[in-house]
Amino acid sequence: MKLALYGELEEILEGAHLLQKKLGIEITSDGTPVRVRRMNNAEQGLTVSLSKGEGEIVYSERVTFFRGLGLFVEHVKDKEEFHLEEHQQFDTIGPMFDLSRNAVMKVETFKEMFQTLALMGFNATMLYMEDVYEIKSQPYFGYMRGRYSQEELKELDDYAYRFGIEIIPCIQTLAHLEEFLKWSTTAHLKDTRGVLLVENEATYDLIEDMIQTLRQSFRSHRIHIGMDEAEELGRGVYLNKYGYKDRLLLMTEHMTRVLKITQQYGFEPIMWSDMFLKLASKTGESHYDLTTEIPQEMIDVTPENVTMMYWNYAHTNKDDYVSMLRKHKDFGKQPAFAGGVWVWNTFAPNYNISLRASQAALEACKEEGIHDIFVTLWGDDGFENNYYTALLGLQMYAEHAYSKELDQEKLKERVKFCTGMEAEHYLLLNQLDTPPGVEEGNVEQTNPSKFLLWQDVLLGLFDKHVEGLDLANYYTNLEWRIKQIRNVELTLDYIFEVPEKLAAVLALKATIGVQLKAAYDTGDIKELERIATNVLPEILNEVEALRAAHRIQWLRMHKPFGWEVIDIRYGGLKNRLDTAIYRIQAYINGQTDRIEELEEERLYYHDITTSSGLGWSSYYYRIASPNVFFHVLPI
């Protein structure tokens, strides 16, 4: 399709040329004429139309033009005339990419992602970087972690800017710095394992180096300074060195120091709000407690020049969000909000939680007039999943951002146009974690695709959870269904390779531990021999196919640093399967009179009697073994 853009082109033409291949268009002088015009500053919206063979895109900010361009191309293929109007519901809308859990997206991959975000209409994104950006004065900051150089960050910022996408650095200036503070050279900066030592001048020198580096890399005037989940603050080296001090006082004094630095470098700070809600709660632990009242003394000592960001990824009741957003307003400033698409702690997105929680949250944000909205894509425990599986969830946020009420049919049409994949195909991925035993529509965290893969065949820590369930047929059918929707001509078809291979593994492995234990308990030597001779070797072959597919996917999307963690997990799984074969054969051959691992009673990993899921575990090392992987000291 040829388009002849004319009118106010100066700020959009370069970005439009970058999108030609993705949109299947050619911008030329002899195409369908499309007039481009920017609204006056008071307007916030988008108009896209085609009449008598001529098109028009009237937009309010740069990124809305690219959303409009996508809408024009989407509709011009089917209609001779149309008129579309949209109105922006938020000032800021964007995803947050967690780049700190090993999956550091390649610059080129990020550029592809920015093109998709532009078509969706996102005007911002946050890069969550604990230590994965270069600080020239700190050689161990992000060492061997795939950190971005200043040049790479500038390249990303420049590329996103072409589409009108603001990149906001999202860092940590208090907690969640375990990967930097593990080095012996950082001992003087450490309070506890992941928390910085406050009231320590070297700490503030480090933070200034952070802020100064980011100022040189990004044009945004905003910065997210983190400060979430700092429960250990003042309870380690600080306590030994200075004595006890109230955590609220420590927080606010530290904040004041950090805010002076951000102000010095022209940044407007945002921070997670959970520590204030926890300190105000009755237990001192919950930031979801709806009974929490923010005491006036807390409001009085909290600096005014920071935006509190309320995060909540799990509640499905709109009133919960309304209540908590109103509590945030007690601080005297409009809060920001961060929801989430659950791509963390599993191989598959949990859309049961993500879509229902996001719907409730976004309705509440509109009701409460919240201006700045983000959707987080965390990568906890090494990020076995990937960002692209979240695109249906991202599209949902984008459609909410341009309409008062979500149109489900339009959402499906838009995600198909912007990503090339049907909404149902993304939802199919969700089924990796919804086998028998998980209630339909379950909104609890459950991750069988992770724990059934990594759990040990002989130890079977989750076997009690899946006793009596026909998971073999379920995952065999799921593998077939994924194969049916594959289309190698689609750009994102490759993200289904790992789920397809994983389903093949789980069809064999999900309940093999249950079968093995039953055969051993009943003395069924023939069944034990079948498992050792046929089934476990076949699982080994399927695991290797999965590992190879996962490696290709990882290296296509991400820098190589961090893949070694997943690679080691596969190696451990394969070695333990090999050992299981060895142990069973030794028992069959009379070389040992028992298999001690199979003598043990199977217990629940944790109580699931009140759950609508199959249980969960956030950590590979806890799934793989109940024994000591490593010993973590408190400081």
Side-chain angles (χ1 to χ4, degrees), residues 41 50 74 110 140 166 177 183-184 223 321 350 365 369 373 380 406 456 471 476 543 579 594 598 606 620:
N41 293 334
L50 176 68
E74 180 183 355
F110 242 135
Y140 283 94
E166 174 191 5
L177 287 168
W183 302 106
S184 60
I223 187 171
Y321 294 95
N350 187 329
C365 286
I373 309 294
D380 298 19
L406 181 67
D456 188 82
L471 302 190
T476 297
V543 167
T579 294
R594 59 181 182 154
L598 298 180
H606 54 66
Y620 159 80

PDB file of all heavy atoms in Angstrom, residues 41 50 74 110 140 166 177 183-184 223 321 350 365 369 373 380 406 456 471 476 543 579 594 598 606 620:
ATOM      1  N   ASN A  41      -2.652  22.729  21.511  1.00  0.00           N
ATOM      2  CA  ASN A  41      -2.140  22.181  22.768  1.00  0.00           C
ATOM      3  C   ASN A  41      -3.220  21.819  23.777  1.00  0.00           C
ATOM      4  O   ASN A  41      -2.999  20.991  24.659  1.00  0.00           O
ATOM      5  CB  ASN A  41      -1.158  23.170  23.410  1.00  0.00           C
ATOM      6  CG  ASN A  41       0.102  23.310  22.580  1.00  0.00           C
ATOM      7  OD1 ASN A  41       0.465  22.399  21.841  1.00  0.00           O
ATOM      8  ND2 ASN A  41       0.768  24.449  22.689  1.00  0.00           N
ATOM      9  N   LEU A  50     -11.103   8.689   6.321  1.00  0.00           N
ATOM     10  CA  LEU A  50     -10.917   8.511   4.885  1.00  0.00           C
ATOM     11  C   LEU A  50     -12.224   8.903   4.214  1.00  0.00           C
ATOM     12  O   LEU A  50     -13.290   8.388   4.559  1.00  0.00           O
ATOM     13  CB  LEU A  50     -10.565   7.059   4.547  1.00  0.00           C
ATOM     14  CG  LEU A  50     -10.431   6.726   3.056  1.00  0.00           C
ATOM     15  CD1 LEU A  50      -9.211   7.428   2.462  1.00  0.00           C
ATOM     16  CD2 LEU A  50     -10.340   5.220   2.843  1.00  0.00           C
ATOM     17  N   GLU A  74      -5.044  -0.100   9.111  1.00  0.00           N
ATOM     18  CA  GLU A  74      -5.926  -1.205   9.504  1.00  0.00           C
ATOM     19  C   GLU A  74      -7.289  -1.106   8.837  1.00  0.00           C
ATOM     20  O   GLU A  74      -7.850  -2.115   8.386  1.00  0.00           O
ATOM     21  CB  GLU A  74      -6.076  -1.209  11.024  1.00  0.00           C
ATOM     22  CG  GLU A  74      -6.969  -2.301  11.573  1.00  0.00           C
ATOM     23  CD  GLU A  74      -7.145  -2.217  13.091  1.00  0.00           C
ATOM     24  OE1 GLU A  74      -6.490  -1.367  13.733  1.00  0.00           O
ATOM     25  OE2 GLU A  74      -7.955  -3.001  13.624  1.00  0.00           O
ATOM     26  N   PHE A 110      14.776  -4.137  21.387  1.00  0.00           N
ATOM     27  CA  PHE A 110      14.032  -3.021  21.959  1.00  0.00           C
ATOM     28  C   PHE A 110      13.484  -2.123  20.851  1.00  0.00           C
ATOM     29  O   PHE A 110      12.358  -1.612  20.949  1.00  0.00           O
ATOM     30  CB  PHE A 110      14.931  -2.204  22.888  1.00  0.00           C
ATOM     31  CG  PHE A 110      14.474  -2.185  24.317  1.00  0.00           C
ATOM     32  CD1 PHE A 110      15.370  -2.371  25.351  1.00  0.00           C
ATOM     33  CD2 PHE A 110      13.145  -1.975  24.637  1.00  0.00           C
ATOM     34  CE1 PHE A 110      14.952  -2.360  26.676  1.00  0.00           C
ATOM     35  CE2 PHE A 110      12.714  -1.960  25.948  1.00  0.00           C
ATOM     36  CZ  PHE A 110      13.620  -2.158  26.971  1.00  0.00           C
ATOM     37  N   TYR A 140      32.215  -2.724  39.149  1.00  0.00           N
ATOM     38  CA  TYR A 140      31.447  -3.908  39.526  1.00  0.00           C
ATOM     39  C   TYR A 140      29.936  -3.700  39.386  1.00  0.00           C
ATOM     40  O   TYR A 140      29.169  -4.623  39.619  1.00  0.00           O
ATOM     41  CB  TYR A 140      31.777  -4.329  40.964  1.00  0.00           C
ATOM     42  CG  TYR A 140      33.100  -5.045  41.071  1.00  0.00           C
ATOM     43  CD1 TYR A 140      34.264  -4.347  41.374  1.00  0.00           C
ATOM     44  CD2 TYR A 140      33.191  -6.417  40.869  1.00  0.00           C
ATOM     45  CE1 TYR A 140      35.488  -4.998  41.460  1.00  0.00           C
ATOM     46  CE2 TYR A 140      34.395  -7.084  40.958  1.00  0.00           C
ATOM     47  CZ  TYR A 140      35.542  -6.365  41.246  1.00  0.00           C
ATOM     48  OH  TYR A 140      36.744  -7.019  41.332  1.00  0.00           O
ATOM     49  N   GLU A 166       8.644   8.454  25.647  1.00  0.00           N
ATOM     50  CA  GLU A 166       9.576   8.926  26.672  1.00  0.00           C
ATOM     51  C   GLU A 166      10.122   7.730  27.450  1.00  0.00           C
ATOM     52  O   GLU A 166       9.350   6.943  28.000  1.00  0.00           O
ATOM     53  CB  GLU A 166       8.846   9.877  27.628  1.00  0.00           C
ATOM     54  CG  GLU A 166       9.669  10.316  28.831  1.00  0.00           C
ATOM     55  CD  GLU A 166       8.826  11.033  29.879  1.00  0.00           C
ATOM     56  OE1 GLU A 166       7.587  11.104  29.710  1.00  0.00           O
ATOM     57  OE2 GLU A 166       9.406  11.505  30.880  1.00  0.00           O
ATOM     58  N   LEU A 177      19.371  -4.148  45.709  1.00  0.00           N
ATOM     59  CA  LEU A 177      20.693  -4.013  45.083  1.00  0.00           C
ATOM     60  C   LEU A 177      21.605  -5.177  45.462  1.00  0.00           C
ATOM     61  O   LEU A 177      22.825  -5.028  45.541  1.00  0.00           O
ATOM     62  CB  LEU A 177      21.318  -2.669  45.474  1.00  0.00           C
ATOM     63  CG  LEU A 177      20.670  -1.464  44.782  1.00  0.00           C
ATOM     64  CD1 LEU A 177      21.128  -0.161  45.412  1.00  0.00           C
ATOM     65  CD2 LEU A 177      20.985  -1.465  43.278  1.00  0.00           C
ATOM     66  N   TRP A 183      29.486  -7.986  45.925  1.00  0.00           N
ATOM     67  CA  TRP A 183      30.939  -7.921  45.720  1.00  0.00           C
ATOM     68  C   TRP A 183      31.639  -7.398  46.970  1.00  0.00           C
ATOM     69  O   TRP A 183      31.119  -6.518  47.657  1.00  0.00           O
ATOM     70  CB  TRP A 183      31.263  -7.027  44.523  1.00  0.00           C
ATOM     71  CG  TRP A 183      30.631  -7.480  43.240  1.00  0.00           C
ATOM     72  CD1 TRP A 183      29.573  -6.911  42.596  1.00  0.00           C
ATOM     73  CD2 TRP A 183      31.002  -8.623  42.459  1.00  0.00           C
ATOM     74  NE1 TRP A 183      29.263  -7.604  41.461  1.00  0.00           N
ATOM     75  CE2 TRP A 183      30.127  -8.663  41.343  1.00  0.00           C
ATOM     76  CE3 TRP A 183      31.991  -9.610  42.587  1.00  0.00           C
ATOM     77  CZ2 TRP A 183      30.207  -9.657  40.374  1.00  0.00           C
ATOM     78  CZ3 TRP A 183      32.080 -10.592  41.608  1.00  0.00           C
ATOM     79  CH2 TRP A 183      31.198 -10.618  40.517  1.00  0.00           C
ATOM     80  N   SER A 184      32.814  -7.910  47.240  1.00  0.00           N
ATOM     81  CA  SER A 184      33.555  -7.493  48.444  1.00  0.00           C
ATOM     82  C   SER A 184      33.922  -6.019  48.401  1.00  0.00           C
ATOM     83  O   SER A 184      34.048  -5.369  49.444  1.00  0.00           O
ATOM     84  CB  SER A 184      34.825  -8.337  48.600  1.00  0.00           C
ATOM     85  OG  SER A 184      35.693  -8.185  47.478  1.00  0.00           O
ATOM     86  N   ILE A 223      12.414  10.466  36.693  1.00  0.00           N
ATOM     87  CA  ILE A 223      13.201   9.308  37.090  1.00  0.00           C
ATOM     88  C   ILE A 223      12.469   8.588  38.217  1.00  0.00           C
ATOM     89  O   ILE A 223      11.887   9.227  39.096  1.00  0.00           O
ATOM     90  CB  ILE A 223      14.622   9.712  37.544  1.00  0.00           C
ATOM     91  CG1 ILE A 223      15.491   8.464  37.805  1.00  0.00           C
ATOM     92  CG2 ILE A 223      14.576  10.589  38.797  1.00  0.00           C
ATOM     93  CD1 ILE A 223      16.952   8.781  38.040  1.00  0.00           C
ATOM     94  N   TYR A 321      -9.033  -0.669  44.606  1.00  0.00           N
ATOM     95  CA  TYR A 321      -8.125   0.310  44.002  1.00  0.00           C
ATOM     96  C   TYR A 321      -8.568   1.737  44.317  1.00  0.00           C
ATOM     97  O   TYR A 321      -7.737   2.603  44.621  1.00  0.00           O
ATOM     98  CB  TYR A 321      -8.056   0.104  42.491  1.00  0.00           C
ATOM     99  CG  TYR A 321      -7.431  -1.203  42.073  1.00  0.00           C
ATOM    100  CD1 TYR A 321      -8.223  -2.314  41.787  1.00  0.00           C
ATOM    101  CD2 TYR A 321      -6.053  -1.336  41.960  1.00  0.00           C
ATOM    102  CE1 TYR A 321      -7.657  -3.520  41.396  1.00  0.00           C
ATOM    103  CE2 TYR A 321      -5.464  -2.535  41.569  1.00  0.00           C
ATOM    104  CZ  TYR A 321      -6.275  -3.627  41.297  1.00  0.00           C
ATOM    105  OH  TYR A 321      -5.708  -4.813  40.921  1.00  0.00           O
ATOM    106  N   ASN A 350       0.105 -15.265  33.084  1.00  0.00           N
ATOM    107  CA  ASN A 350      -1.135 -15.598  33.790  1.00  0.00           C
ATOM    108  C   ASN A 350      -2.165 -14.527  33.437  1.00  0.00           C
ATOM    109  O   ASN A 350      -2.268 -13.490  34.097  1.00  0.00           O
ATOM    110  CB  ASN A 350      -0.908 -15.638  35.305  1.00  0.00           C
ATOM    111  CG  ASN A 350      -2.135 -16.145  36.052  1.00  0.00           C
ATOM    112  OD1 ASN A 350      -3.269 -15.945  35.621  1.00  0.00           O
ATOM    113  ND2 ASN A 350      -1.913 -16.799  37.179  1.00  0.00           N
ATOM    114  N   CYS A 365      -8.725   3.925  38.127  1.00  0.00           N
ATOM    115  CA  CYS A 365      -7.844   5.049  37.804  1.00  0.00           C
ATOM    116  C   CYS A 365      -8.593   6.128  37.027  1.00  0.00           C
ATOM    117  O   CYS A 365      -8.395   7.330  37.257  1.00  0.00           O
ATOM    118  CB  CYS A 365      -6.638   4.555  37.011  1.00  0.00           C
ATOM    119  SG  CYS A 365      -5.418   3.656  37.996  1.00  0.00           S
ATOM    120  N   GLY A 369      -9.319   9.914  38.397  1.00  0.00           N
ATOM    121  CA  GLY A 369      -8.579  10.934  37.675  1.00  0.00           C
ATOM    122  C   GLY A 369      -7.069  10.778  37.754  1.00  0.00           C
ATOM    123  O   GLY A 369      -6.337  11.776  37.771  1.00  0.00           O
ATOM    124  N   ILE A 373      -0.061   6.147  34.240  1.00  0.00           N
ATOM    125  CA  ILE A 373      -0.347   4.720  34.385  1.00  0.00           C
ATOM    126  C   ILE A 373       0.776   3.907  33.737  1.00  0.00           C
ATOM    127  O   ILE A 373       1.170   4.170  32.592  1.00  0.00           O
ATOM    128  CB  ILE A 373      -1.676   4.344  33.694  1.00  0.00           C
ATOM    129  CG1 ILE A 373      -2.813   5.268  34.147  1.00  0.00           C
ATOM    130  CG2 ILE A 373      -2.008   2.873  33.921  1.00  0.00           C
ATOM    131  CD1 ILE A 373      -3.192   5.131  35.591  1.00  0.00           C
ATOM    132  N   ASP A 380      11.033 -12.056  37.624  1.00  0.00           N
ATOM    133  CA  ASP A 380      11.569 -12.714  38.819  1.00  0.00           C
ATOM    134  C   ASP A 380      12.175 -14.088  38.523  1.00  0.00           C
ATOM    135  O   ASP A 380      11.706 -14.827  37.669  1.00  0.00           O
ATOM    136  CB  ASP A 380      10.459 -12.897  39.861  1.00  0.00           C
ATOM    137  CG  ASP A 380       9.876 -11.567  40.326  1.00  0.00           C
ATOM    138  OD1 ASP A 380      10.048 -10.564  39.638  1.00  0.00           O
ATOM    139  OD2 ASP A 380       9.237 -11.543  41.393  1.00  0.00           O
ATOM    140  N   LEU A 406     -13.669  -0.068  27.737  1.00  0.00           N
ATOM    141  CA  LEU A 406     -12.941  -1.000  26.881  1.00  0.00           C
ATOM    142  C   LEU A 406     -13.898  -1.721  25.942  1.00  0.00           C
ATOM    143  O   LEU A 406     -14.906  -2.285  26.368  1.00  0.00           O
ATOM    144  CB  LEU A 406     -12.190  -2.013  27.742  1.00  0.00           C
ATOM    145  CG  LEU A 406     -11.354  -3.049  26.992  1.00  0.00           C
ATOM    146  CD1 LEU A 406     -10.188  -2.371  26.281  1.00  0.00           C
ATOM    147  CD2 LEU A 406     -10.845  -4.125  27.935  1.00  0.00           C
ATOM    148  N   ASP A 456      12.448 -32.451  40.830  1.00  0.00           N
ATOM    149  CA  ASP A 456      13.248 -33.656  40.675  1.00  0.00           C
ATOM    150  C   ASP A 456      12.347 -34.892  40.585  1.00  0.00           C
ATOM    151  O   ASP A 456      11.376 -35.029  41.343  1.00  0.00           O
ATOM    152  CB  ASP A 456      14.195 -33.780  41.877  1.00  0.00           C
ATOM    153  CG  ASP A 456      15.195 -34.893  41.699  1.00  0.00           C
ATOM    154  OD1 ASP A 456      16.206 -34.665  41.022  1.00  0.00           O
ATOM    155  OD2 ASP A 456      14.955 -35.991  42.236  1.00  0.00           O
ATOM    156  N   LEU A 471      -2.647 -35.313  33.524  1.00  0.00           N
ATOM    157  CA  LEU A 471      -1.902 -34.217  32.923  1.00  0.00           C
ATOM    158  C   LEU A 471      -1.262 -34.621  31.603  1.00  0.00           C
ATOM    159  O   LEU A 471      -0.982 -33.760  30.758  1.00  0.00           O
ATOM    160  CB  LEU A 471      -0.823 -33.722  33.893  1.00  0.00           C
ATOM    161  CG  LEU A 471      -1.326 -33.238  35.256  1.00  0.00           C
ATOM    162  CD1 LEU A 471      -0.195 -32.550  36.024  1.00  0.00           C
ATOM    163  CD2 LEU A 471      -2.510 -32.287  35.115  1.00  0.00           C
ATOM    164  N   THR A 476      -0.465 -33.137  26.139  1.00  0.00           N
ATOM    165  CA  THR A 476      -0.378 -33.642  24.765  1.00  0.00           C
ATOM    166  C   THR A 476      -1.319 -32.855  23.863  1.00  0.00           C
ATOM    167  O   THR A 476      -0.964 -32.451  22.744  1.00  0.00           O
ATOM    168  CB  THR A 476      -0.730 -35.141  24.707  1.00  0.00           C
ATOM    169  OG1 THR A 476       0.231 -35.873  25.480  1.00  0.00           O
ATOM    170  CG2 THR A 476      -0.725 -35.651  23.279  1.00  0.00           C
ATOM    171  N   VAL A 543      13.588 -32.769  26.805  1.00  0.00           N
ATOM    172  CA  VAL A 543      14.185 -31.655  27.556  1.00  0.00           C
ATOM    173  C   VAL A 543      15.285 -31.002  26.740  1.00  0.00           C
ATOM    174  O   VAL A 543      15.416 -29.773  26.715  1.00  0.00           O
ATOM    175  CB  VAL A 543      14.720 -32.144  28.918  1.00  0.00           C
ATOM    176  CG1 VAL A 543      15.628 -31.080  29.561  1.00  0.00           C
ATOM    177  CG2 VAL A 543      13.574 -32.481  29.861  1.00  0.00           C
ATOM    178  N   THR A 579      20.556 -39.596  36.645  1.00  0.00           N
ATOM    179  CA  THR A 579      20.757 -40.251  37.933  1.00  0.00           C
ATOM    180  C   THR A 579      19.552 -41.107  38.317  1.00  0.00           C
ATOM    181  O   THR A 579      19.702 -42.187  38.897  1.00  0.00           O
ATOM    182  CB  THR A 579      21.043 -39.200  39.030  1.00  0.00           C
ATOM    183  OG1 THR A 579      22.296 -38.574  38.744  1.00  0.00           O
ATOM    184  CG2 THR A 579      21.110 -39.835  40.411  1.00  0.00           C
ATOM    185  N   ARG A 594      17.134 -50.776  48.036  1.00  0.00           N
ATOM    186  CA  ARG A 594      16.039 -49.803  48.090  1.00  0.00           C
ATOM    187  C   ARG A 594      16.459 -48.489  47.434  1.00  0.00           C
ATOM    188  O   ARG A 594      17.649 -48.212  47.263  1.00  0.00           O
ATOM    189  CB  ARG A 594      15.599 -49.539  49.528  1.00  0.00           C
ATOM    190  CG  ARG A 594      16.681 -49.012  50.443  1.00  0.00           C
ATOM    191  CD  ARG A 594      16.161 -48.810  51.842  1.00  0.00           C
ATOM    192  NE  ARG A 594      17.185 -48.259  52.721  1.00  0.00           N
ATOM    193  CZ  ARG A 594      16.933 -47.543  53.796  1.00  0.00           C
ATOM    194  NH1 ARG A 594      15.679 -47.270  54.135  1.00  0.00           N
ATOM    195  NH2 ARG A 594      17.903 -47.087  54.554  1.00  0.00           N
ATOM    196  N   LEU A 598      12.531 -42.730  47.160  1.00  0.00           N
ATOM    197  CA  LEU A 598      11.160 -43.192  46.941  1.00  0.00           C
ATOM    198  C   LEU A 598      10.546 -43.813  48.188  1.00  0.00           C
ATOM    199  O   LEU A 598       9.341 -44.090  48.218  1.00  0.00           O
ATOM    200  CB  LEU A 598      11.122 -44.190  45.780  1.00  0.00           C
ATOM    201  CG  LEU A 598      11.568 -43.650  44.415  1.00  0.00           C
ATOM    202  CD1 LEU A 598      11.479 -44.741  43.364  1.00  0.00           C
ATOM    203  CD2 LEU A 598      10.750 -42.435  44.004  1.00  0.00           C
ATOM    204  N   HIS A 606       3.111 -26.925  49.923  1.00  0.00           N
ATOM    205  CA  HIS A 606       2.414 -26.085  50.893  1.00  0.00           C
ATOM    206  C   HIS A 606       0.929 -26.346  50.755  1.00  0.00           C
ATOM    207  O   HIS A 606       0.480 -26.964  49.786  1.00  0.00           O
ATOM    208  CB  HIS A 606       2.744 -24.591  50.735  1.00  0.00           C
ATOM    209  CG  HIS A 606       2.530 -24.053  49.350  1.00  0.00           C
ATOM    210  ND1 HIS A 606       1.305 -23.959  48.766  1.00  0.00           N
ATOM    211  CD2 HIS A 606       3.414 -23.580  48.433  1.00  0.00           C
ATOM    212  CE1 HIS A 606       1.420 -23.443  47.554  1.00  0.00           C
ATOM    213  NE2 HIS A 606       2.692 -23.222  47.319  1.00  0.00           N
ATOM    214  N   TYR A 620      13.404 -21.423  41.641  1.00  0.00           N
ATOM    215  CA  TYR A 620      13.898 -22.677  41.088  1.00  0.00           C
ATOM    216  C   TYR A 620      14.590 -23.526  42.142  1.00  0.00           C
ATOM    217  O   TYR A 620      14.348 -24.727  42.248  1.00  0.00           O
ATOM    218  CB  TYR A 620      14.864 -22.388  39.935  1.00  0.00           C
ATOM    219  CG  TYR A 620      15.792 -23.540  39.648  1.00  0.00           C
ATOM    220  CD1 TYR A 620      15.351 -24.634  38.907  1.00  0.00           C
ATOM    221  CD2 TYR A 620      17.098 -23.552  40.141  1.00  0.00           C
ATOM    222  CE1 TYR A 620      16.194 -25.717  38.661  1.00  0.00           C
ATOM    223  CE2 TYR A 620      17.938 -24.624  39.903  1.00  0.00           C
ATOM    224  CZ  TYR A 620      17.482 -25.699  39.167  1.00  0.00           C
ATOM    225  OH  TYR A 620      18.306 -26.768  38.944  1.00  0.00           O
TER     226      TYR A 620
END
